[in-house]
Amino acid sequence: MSSPKLFNPGPVDVSPETFAAMSHTMIGHRGKDFEELYASLQPGLKEIFGTERPVFLSTSSAWGVMEGALRNLVKEKVLCLCCGAFSDKWLDVAKKCGYEAEAIQVEWGEAIDPEEVRKKLSEGGFDTVTLIHSETSTGVLNDLAGVAKVVKSFPDTMLIVDTVSSLSTVDVDMDANGVDVMLAGVQKALALPPGLALFAVSEAAMERSKTIPNRGYYFDFLEFAKNDAANNTPTTPCISLLFGLQFMLGQIAKEGFSARKARHARTNAMIADWAEKHGFQNFAPEGYRSLALSCFATPEDFDQATFIKELKSRYNFLINGGYGKIKGKTFRISNMGNETEDSMQELIDAMDIILEEMKG
Ligand SMILES: *Cc1c(COP(=O)(O)O)cnc(C)c1O
């Protein structure tokens, strides 16, 4: 049987047209062809980031930039806003980098409360804050504008935001929100193969970076900025993926960013309606739900493993049985990337048939 269709929240399905674009003949990265490729990506990236700042291209997974941003910005002490597997791990990463790090830890499935951030920052000593916008492990979409407003009210405190599973599905508005580093990987909402991360850095964060002595080389913001001025990257980039990204940004332009966001809202609502019909409770609170994926609590009497197995073996559809400490206690369905009402309906029809049979 061929590989399953992925409704797993990342990596998601990559279209044949994207793969075709990626099979462009190879070009050298220190030449005019590459500079043109690099420059061609900027307008589309700036639109989805909501920024006038250049968007840097990192040949790494998102974690590279998540760690790199800490290494460029943290002076002494970082506050990590933790509400799920990815945000919790960011705290570990900060500690592994040798920083003093503290957390605001909420229960998985809850969102970060900006007022708690205000209280914690008021204790003093924090120079950097990390936030995950769409916590992919729980389906929670945090109040980015609310948290950013609080962080901005503390002078010289940098805000790093991960938009791995929200970028291009909803507005992230980097500049309007005053975010200092906004980053994403491409294998989730942008429906590309993994291996490329995107990030933009505020002017204030560039200035901070200049004052940080041991920020390393591979993710050095100053190296990225210097090369960006010549439409280039510090080291040899994943050129094939950049051709894929060029194609994908073209698709986004063709569809229209507003239409793309509206499509995600509609396909996400289809899954929410399906879940409500079957009595599955959303794991994320109302008003704080990602539009890129959905996470549901597994009912006590529900044989989730069989449900997922049957979906895969009979329909070749892959959904996810929970991540980290809520594995088996939740399940997740992605509507990220290229999914349409038609493709989500096929999944819903298959899930309905299996649920009906499981009732016996
Ligand atoms: C998947 C994911 C990551 C990690 O991405 P990698 O590509 O594995 O580094 C980080 N943050 C969020 C929110 C994610 O969903």
Coordinates of all heavy atoms in Angstrom, one line a residue, residues 155-212:
P155 N 10.3 47.3 29.6 CA 11.4 47.8 28.7 C 12.5 46.7 28.5 O 12.8 46.0 29.5 CB 11.9 49.0 29.3 CG 11.4 49.0 30.7 CD 10.2 48.2 30.8
D156 N 13.0 46.7 27.3 CA 14.2 45.8 27.0 C 14.0 44.4 27.3 O 14.9 43.6 27.6 CB 15.4 46.4 27.8 CG 16.7 46.1 27.1 OD1 16.7 46.0 25.8 OD2 17.8 45.9 27.8
T157 N 12.7 43.9 27.1 CA 12.4 42.5 27.3 C 12.0 42.0 25.9 O 11.1 42.5 25.3 CB 11.3 42.3 28.3 OG1 11.6 43.0 29.5 CG2 11.0 40.8 28.6
M158 N 12.7 41.0 25.4 CA 12.5 40.5 24.1 C 11.5 39.3 24.1 O 11.4 38.5 25.0 CB 13.8 39.9 23.5 CG 14.9 40.9 23.4 SD 14.6 42.0 22.0 CE 15.2 43.5 22.6
L159 N 10.6 39.3 23.0 CA 9.6 38.3 22.9 C 9.9 37.4 21.6 O 10.0 38.0 20.5 CB 8.2 38.9 22.7 CG 7.1 38.0 22.5 CD1 6.9 36.9 23.6 CD2 5.8 38.7 22.3
I160 N 10.1 36.2 21.9 CA 10.4 35.2 20.8 C 9.1 34.4 20.6 O 8.6 33.8 21.6 CB 11.5 34.2 21.1 CG1 12.8 35.0 21.5 CG2 11.8 33.3 19.9 CD1 13.9 34.1 22.1
V161 N 8.6 34.3 19.4 CA 7.3 33.6 19.2 C 7.5 32.5 18.1 O 7.9 32.8 17.0 CB 6.2 34.6 18.8 CG1 4.9 33.8 18.5 CG2 6.0 35.7 19.8
D162 N 7.0 31.3 18.4 CA 7.0 30.2 17.5 C 5.6 30.2 16.9 O 4.6 30.1 17.6 CB 7.3 28.9 18.3 CG 6.9 27.6 17.7 OD1 5.9 27.6 16.9 OD2 7.6 26.6 18.0
T163 N 5.6 30.2 15.5 CA 4.4 30.2 14.8 C 4.4 29.0 13.9 O 3.8 29.0 12.8 CB 4.1 31.5 14.0 OG1 5.1 31.6 13.0 CG2 4.1 32.7 14.9
V164 N 5.0 27.9 14.3 CA 5.2 26.7 13.4 C 3.9 26.2 12.9 O 3.8 26.0 11.7 CB 6.0 25.6 14.1 CG1 6.0 24.3 13.3 CG2 7.4 26.0 14.5
S165 N 2.9 26.1 13.7 CA 1.6 25.6 13.2 C 0.5 26.6 13.1 O -0.7 26.3 12.9 CB 1.1 24.4 14.0 OG 0.8 24.7 15.3
S166 N 0.9 27.9 13.1 CA -0.1 28.9 12.8 C 0.2 29.8 11.6 O -0.8 30.3 11.0 CB -0.3 29.8 14.1 OG 0.9 30.5 14.4
L167 N 1.4 29.9 11.3 CA 1.8 30.8 10.1 C 1.1 30.4 8.9 O 1.1 29.3 8.4 CB 3.3 30.7 9.9 CG 3.9 31.7 8.8 CD1 3.9 33.1 9.3 CD2 5.3 31.3 8.4
S168 N 0.4 31.4 8.3 CA -0.3 31.3 7.0 C -1.7 30.7 7.2 O -2.5 30.6 6.3 CB 0.4 30.5 5.9 OG 0.2 29.1 6.0
T169 N -2.1 30.3 8.5 CA -3.5 29.9 8.7 C -4.3 30.9 9.4 O -5.5 31.0 9.3 CB -3.5 28.6 9.6 OG1 -3.2 28.9 10.9 CG2 -2.6 27.5 9.1
V170 N -3.6 31.8 10.1 CA -4.3 33.0 10.8 C -3.2 34.1 10.7 O -2.1 33.9 10.4 CB -4.6 32.7 12.3 CG1 -5.7 31.7 12.4 CG2 -3.4 32.3 13.1
D171 N -3.7 35.3 11.0 CA -2.7 36.4 11.1 C -1.8 36.3 12.3 O -2.2 35.9 13.4 CB -3.5 37.8 11.3 CG -4.1 38.2 10.0 OD1 -3.5 38.1 8.9 OD2 -5.3 38.7 10.0
V172 N -0.5 36.5 12.1 CA 0.4 36.5 13.2 C 1.0 37.9 13.5 O 1.4 38.2 14.6 CB 1.6 35.5 13.0 CG1 1.0 34.1 13.0 CG2 2.4 35.8 11.8
D173 N 0.9 38.8 12.5 CA 1.1 40.3 12.6 C 2.4 40.6 13.5 O 2.3 41.3 14.5 CB -0.1 40.9 13.3 CG -1.3 41.0 12.3 OD1 -1.0 41.1 11.1 OD2 -2.4 41.0 12.8
M174 N 3.5 40.1 13.0 CA 4.8 40.4 13.7 C 5.0 41.8 14.1 O 5.2 42.1 15.3 CB 6.0 39.9 12.9 CG 7.3 40.2 13.6 SD 8.7 39.5 12.7 CE 10.0 40.3 13.6
D175 N 4.9 42.7 13.1 CA 5.2 44.1 13.4 C 4.2 44.8 14.3 O 4.5 45.5 15.3 CB 5.4 44.9 12.1 CG 6.6 44.5 11.3 OD1 7.4 43.7 11.8 OD2 6.8 45.0 10.2
A176 N 2.9 44.6 14.0 CA 1.8 45.2 14.7 C 1.8 44.7 16.2 O 1.5 45.5 17.1 CB 0.5 44.9 14.1
N177 N 2.2 43.4 16.4 CA 2.2 42.9 17.8 C 3.6 43.2 18.5 O 3.7 43.0 19.7 CB 2.0 41.4 17.8 CG 0.6 41.0 17.5 OD1 -0.3 41.7 18.0 ND2 0.4 40.0 16.7
G178 N 4.5 43.7 17.8 CA 5.8 44.1 18.4 C 6.6 42.8 18.8 O 7.3 42.8 19.8
V179 N 6.5 41.8 18.0 CA 7.3 40.6 18.2 C 8.7 40.8 17.8 O 9.0 41.4 16.8 CB 6.7 39.4 17.5 CG1 7.5 38.1 17.6 CG2 5.2 39.1 18.0
D180 N 9.7 40.3 18.6 CA 11.1 40.5 18.4 C 11.7 39.4 17.5 O 12.5 39.7 16.6 CB 11.9 40.6 19.7 CG 11.5 41.9 20.4 OD1 11.8 43.0 19.8 OD2 10.9 41.8 21.4
V181 N 11.3 38.2 17.7 CA 11.7 37.1 16.8 C 10.5 36.3 16.5 O 9.8 35.8 17.4 CB 12.8 36.2 17.3 CG1 13.2 35.1 16.3 CG2 14.1 37.0 17.7
M182 N 10.1 36.1 15.2 CA 9.0 35.3 14.9 C 9.6 34.2 14.0 O 10.4 34.4 13.1 CB 8.0 36.1 14.1 CG 6.7 35.2 13.9 SD 5.3 36.3 13.5 CE 4.6 36.5 15.1
L183 N 9.2 32.9 14.3 CA 9.9 31.8 13.5 C 8.8 30.7 13.2 O 7.8 30.6 13.9 CB 11.0 31.2 14.4 CG 10.5 30.5 15.7 CD1 10.5 29.0 15.5 CD2 11.5 30.8 16.8
A184 N 9.2 29.9 12.2 CA 8.3 28.8 11.8 C 9.1 27.8 11.0 O 10.1 28.2 10.4 CB 7.1 29.2 11.0
G185 N 8.8 26.5 11.1 CA 9.3 25.5 10.2 C 8.3 25.4 9.1 O 7.2 26.0 9.1
V186 N 8.7 24.7 8.0 CA 7.8 24.7 6.8 C 7.0 23.4 6.6 O 6.2 23.3 5.7 CB 8.7 24.9 5.5 CG1 9.3 26.3 5.6 CG2 9.7 23.8 5.3
Q187 N 7.2 22.4 7.5 CA 6.6 21.1 7.2 C 5.2 21.0 7.8 O 4.6 20.0 7.8 CB 7.5 20.0 7.7 CG 7.5 19.7 9.2 CD 8.4 20.6 10.0 OE1 8.8 21.7 9.5 NE2 8.9 20.2 11.2
K188 N 4.8 22.1 8.4 CA 3.4 22.1 9.0 C 2.5 22.9 8.1 O 2.1 22.5 7.1 CB 3.5 22.5 10.5 CG 4.5 21.7 11.2 CD 4.0 21.2 12.6 CE 5.1 20.2 13.1 NZ 5.5 20.5 14.4
A189 N 2.2 24.1 8.6 CA 1.2 24.9 7.8 C 1.6 25.2 6.4 O 0.7 25.5 5.5 CB 0.8 26.2 8.6
L190 N 2.8 25.2 6.1 CA 3.3 25.5 4.7 C 3.4 24.3 3.8 O 3.7 24.4 2.6 CB 4.6 26.4 4.7 CG 4.4 27.8 5.2 CD1 5.7 28.5 5.3 CD2 3.5 28.6 4.2
A191 N 3.1 23.1 4.3 CA 3.0 21.9 3.5 C 4.2 21.7 2.6 O 4.1 21.3 1.4 CB 1.7 21.9 2.7
L192 N 5.4 21.9 3.2 CA 6.6 21.5 2.4 C 7.3 20.4 3.2 O 7.0 20.1 4.4 CB 7.6 22.8 2.4 CG 7.2 23.9 1.5 CD1 7.9 25.2 1.8 CD2 7.4 23.6 0.0
P193 N 8.2 19.7 2.5 CA 9.0 18.7 3.3 C 9.9 19.4 4.4 O 10.2 20.6 4.2 CB 9.9 18.1 2.2 CG 9.3 18.4 0.9 CD 8.6 19.7 1.1
P194 N 10.2 18.7 5.5 CA 11.0 19.4 6.5 C 12.4 19.7 6.1 O 12.9 19.2 5.2 CB 11.0 18.3 7.6 CG 10.6 17.0 7.0 CD 9.8 17.3 5.7
G195 N 13.0 20.6 6.9 CA 14.4 20.9 6.7 C 14.7 22.4 6.5 O 15.8 22.8 6.4
L196 N 13.6 23.2 6.6 CA 13.8 24.7 6.4 C 13.0 25.4 7.5 O 11.9 25.0 7.8 CB 13.3 25.1 5.0 CG 13.1 26.6 4.7 CD1 14.4 27.3 4.7 CD2 12.4 26.8 3.4
A197 N 13.6 26.4 8.1 CA 12.9 27.2 9.1 C 13.0 28.7 8.6 O 14.0 29.1 7.9 CB 13.5 27.1 10.5
L198 N 12.0 29.5 8.9 CA 11.9 30.9 8.5 C 11.9 31.7 9.7 O 11.2 31.3 10.7 CB 10.6 31.1 7.7 CG 10.3 30.0 6.6 CD1 8.9 30.1 6.2 CD2 11.3 30.3 5.4
F199 N 12.5 32.8 9.7 CA 12.4 33.7 10.9 C 12.7 35.2 10.6 O 13.5 35.4 9.6 CB 13.3 33.2 12.1 CG 14.8 33.3 11.9 CD1 15.5 34.3 12.5 CD2 15.5 32.5 11.0 CE1 16.9 34.4 12.4 CE2 16.9 32.6 10.8 CZ 17.6 33.5 11.5
A200 N 12.1 36.1 11.3 CA 12.4 37.5 11.2 C 12.7 38.1 12.5 O 12.3 37.5 13.6 CB 11.2 38.2 10.6
V201 N 13.5 39.1 12.5 CA 14.1 39.7 13.8 C 13.8 41.2 13.8 O 14.2 41.9 12.8 CB 15.6 39.4 13.8 CG1 16.2 40.0 15.1 CG2 15.9 37.9 13.7
S202 N 13.3 41.7 14.9 CA 13.1 43.1 15.0 C 14.4 43.9 15.1 O 15.4 43.3 15.4 CB 12.2 43.4 16.3 OG 13.0 43.2 17.4
E203 N 14.3 45.2 14.8 CA 15.5 46.0 15.0 C 16.1 46.0 16.4 O 17.3 45.9 16.6 CB 15.2 47.5 14.6 CG 15.2 47.7 13.1 CD 14.9 49.2 12.7 OE1 15.5 50.1 13.2 OE2 13.9 49.3 12.0
A204 N 15.2 46.0 17.4 CA 15.6 46.0 18.8 C 16.3 44.7 19.0 O 17.4 44.7 19.7 CB 14.4 46.1 19.7
A205 N 15.8 43.6 18.5 CA 16.5 42.3 18.7 C 17.8 42.2 18.0 O 18.8 41.6 18.5 CB 15.6 41.2 18.3
M206 N 17.9 42.9 16.8 CA 19.3 42.9 16.2 C 20.3 43.7 17.0 O 21.4 43.3 17.2 CB 19.2 43.6 14.8 CG 18.5 42.8 13.7 SD 19.1 41.2 13.3 CE 20.8 41.4 13.1
E207 N 19.8 44.8 17.7 CA 20.7 45.5 18.5 C 21.1 44.7 19.8 O 22.2 44.7 20.2 CB 20.0 46.8 19.0 CG 19.9 47.9 17.9 CD 21.2 48.2 17.2 OE1 22.2 48.5 17.9 OE2 21.3 48.1 15.9
R208 N 20.1 44.0 20.3 CA 20.4 43.1 21.5 C 21.5 42.1 21.1 O 22.5 41.9 21.8 CB 19.2 42.5 22.0 CG 19.4 41.3 23.0 CD 19.8 41.7 24.4 NE 18.6 42.3 25.1 CZ 17.7 41.6 25.8 NH1 17.8 40.3 25.9 NH2 16.7 42.3 26.3
S209 N 21.3 41.5 19.9 CA 22.2 40.4 19.5 C 23.6 40.9 19.4 O 24.6 40.2 19.8 CB 21.7 40.0 18.1 OG 22.5 38.9 17.7
K210 N 23.8 42.2 19.0 CA 25.2 42.7 18.9 C 25.9 42.7 20.3 O 27.1 42.8 20.3 CB 25.1 44.2 18.4 CG 24.8 44.2 16.9 CD 24.7 45.7 16.4 CE 24.1 45.8 15.0 NZ 23.7 47.1 14.7
T211 N 25.1 42.8 21.3 CA 25.7 42.8 22.7 C 25.9 41.5 23.3 O 26.5 41.4 24.4 CB 24.8 43.7 23.6 OG1 23.6 42.9 23.9 CG2 24.4 45.0 23.0
I212 N 25.5 40.4 22.6 CA 25.6 39.1 23.2 C 26.9 38.4 22.7 O 27.1 38.2 21.5 CB 24.4 38.2 22.8 CG1 23.1 38.9 23.3 CG2 24.5 36.8 23.4 CD1 22.8 39.0 24.7

